[in-house]
Amino acid sequence: MDKGVLATALGSPAPFGQSQFAFMRGNAFEAKVKADGGAELLRLLYERLGGGAPEPAGDAAAPDLSAAGPEGRAARTALALREATAAGGWALLDHPMLALEVAGSPAYLEPDAVVVHPDGRWTVVEIKSFPMIDASADASKVGAAARQAAVYVLALERVAAVTEGAEVGHRVLLVCPKDFSNLPTASVVDVRKQRAVTRRQLTRLTRIEDIAAELPEGTTFDPACAPDELDAAVAAVPPAYAPECLAACELAFHCRAKSRAEGAVEALGRSVRGELGGLTTVAGVLAAAAGKEGDPADPTVAALRRAAALRAEALESAAAVRAGSIGDHAGSGDDGTGGAGGTGSAAGTAGTSEGRS
């Protein structure tokens, strides 16, 4: 199912995506890194993760991974990995296809490259177009790259489990432009934490067949359906919206609109949702803060009422300060009027003197 097409049919297209210029820049940089049989890429990897193995020469293996369909490419990649490990030399797999089970269904993944070491170790390589300035890069972008690479590591571990002498390295190579140039540089990123988190999340996912079994008979997500029918079909699968979805899911804008319409606190973020406990709607939170609903013994309700009292006190103090400031200005105006009256009296006196003359 193409979620982008589905979102457009629902009237909530996702207005985001990488620009064409960014695509071209990223592809050009990746081609530069992999030029000459990946010589520069292998050099960077050997400098940082060589581990005492002989330096890769120009004869590093580059197996052909072409096959029909993603399933065929994944099988061809697994075979190439086994053959390269058995050969005991350096091998560079360009855009291999990996398979990982997600909620009981296979998901196909395509890392930028995987390098096989002579000792049977496999290293994931991620090539990004954001720069490393003074040997450091944007922390959020590095974190996203680490989470992405951790998924590839999990997929590779499935193949390594049935490959004699193979081991998947938990340190991946991140290749980026150096400073403000287009020259490649690299950094090693340990993804053991991201791998553990991803593995735990995958084990908690509800299987697709279990979700499908709970859907009403005849439910379809065909974008050609009437909008009302399509909206009802999507609503049959309870969403788990959070603001973070906006950067990753094509249906996020549709789910956000529904969440806001229902007044769900999830629209405020997972951290806020976690702090509010059993309060699930914005209206319920406001009522609890105002003392209209909720158990006073509930720590969440008590904290909300305390926060509401502090806010009311702050607003009252601010209003008093403003009122005092207005009073001071009014007092200054009275003095000025008195001065004007004095000036008028002086003018009258002057006029009287002139008349006498």
Side-chain angles (χ1 to χ4, degrees):
M1 180 178 65
D2 190 330
K3 292 197 294 182
V5 174
L6 184 60
T8 302
L10 288 167
S12 302
F16 63 82
Q18 197 173 29
S19 69
Q20 193 64 30
F21 173 76
F23 272 120
M24 293 172 60
R25 182 182 60 187
N27 290 338
F29 179 69
E30 181 176 341
K32 182 181 181 69
V33 172
K34 294 179 178 178
D36 300 324
E40 181 65 13
L41 174 57
L42 290 171
R43 182 189 68 81
L44 291 170
L45 184 137
Y46 181 76
E47 287 179 355
R48 290 156 178 80
L49 293 169
E55 186 174 356
D59 57 350
D64 180 15
L65 304 177
S66 58
E71 187 174 354
R73 288 184 58 197
R76 181 69 188 90
T77 295
L79 178 60
L81 285 167
R82 288 193 288 269
E83 291 175 346
T85 303
W90 291 96
L92 173 62
L93 279 68
D94 185 11
H95 284 287
M97 183 66 72
L98 307 174
L100 180 66
E101 184 177 303
V102 178
S105 178
Y108 294 99
L109 316 167
E110 188 175 352
D112 292 326
V114 172
V115 175
V116 178
H117 297 242
D119 60 359
R121 186 159 39 102
W122 301 348
T123 298
V124 172
V125 177
E126 269 299 292
I127 303 174
K128 299 297 184 183
S129 59
F130 58 81
M132 282 189 190
I133 301 175
D134 294 333
S136 64
D138 184 283
S140 62
K141 294 180 179 179
V142 173
R147 290 190 293 272
Q148 182 179 351
V151 179
Y152 300 147
V153 168
L154 285 173
L156 279 172
E157 286 178 344
R158 296 184 62 200
V159 183
V162 293
T163 303
E164 184 178 356
E167 177 190 3
V168 182
H170 295 153
R171 296 195 298 166
V172 305
L173 189 73
L174 177 62
V175 182
C176 298
K178 183 178 181 181
D179 298 329
F180 299 100
S181 70
N182 202 37
L183 299 175
T185 187
S187 178
V188 175
V189 181
D190 193 320
V191 298
R192 281 178 292 183
K193 179 180 178 180
Q194 291 83 355
R195 170 187 167 277
V197 170
T198 304
R199 180 185 287 277
R200 185 166 62 250
Q201 290 174 338
L202 288 174
T203 57
R204 293 178 178 178
L205 289 177
T206 306
R207 296 180 68 85
I208 292 177
E209 53 264 32
D210 295 336
I211 297 175
E214 296 179 2
L215 295 177
E217 187 71 25
T219 299
T220 177
F221 298 100
D222 185 355
C225 293
D228 292 344
E229 182 181 352
L230 195 58
D231 186 70
V234 173
V237 183
Y241 173 76
E244 294 86 348
C245 297
L246 295 173
C249 181
E250 294 86 348
L251 287 172
F253 289 89
H254 174 77
C255 295
R256 182 179 67 174
K258 292 293 184 183
S259 182
R260 287 177 173 177
E262 296 169 0
V265 296
E266 283 83 356
L268 305 176
R270 288 193 176 97
S271 60
V272 176
R273 175 69 188 90
E275 292 288 341
L276 293 175
L279 301 173
T280 59
T281 64
V282 174
V285 172
L286 295 176
K292 299 177 182 178
E293 296 180 7
D295 182 4
D298 186 338
T300 301
V301 174
L304 285 171
R305 293 181 181 177
R306 175 59 178 161
L310 290 174
R311 179 179 181 274
E313 182 180 342
L315 291 175
E316 185 179 349
S317 299
V321 170
R322 282 198 302 271
S325 177
I326 293 172
D328 292 341
H329 284 302
S332 300
D334 291 342
D335 293 341
T337 304
T343 302
S345 299
T349 303
T352 301
S353 299
E354 185 178 352
R356 287 174 181 175
S357 299

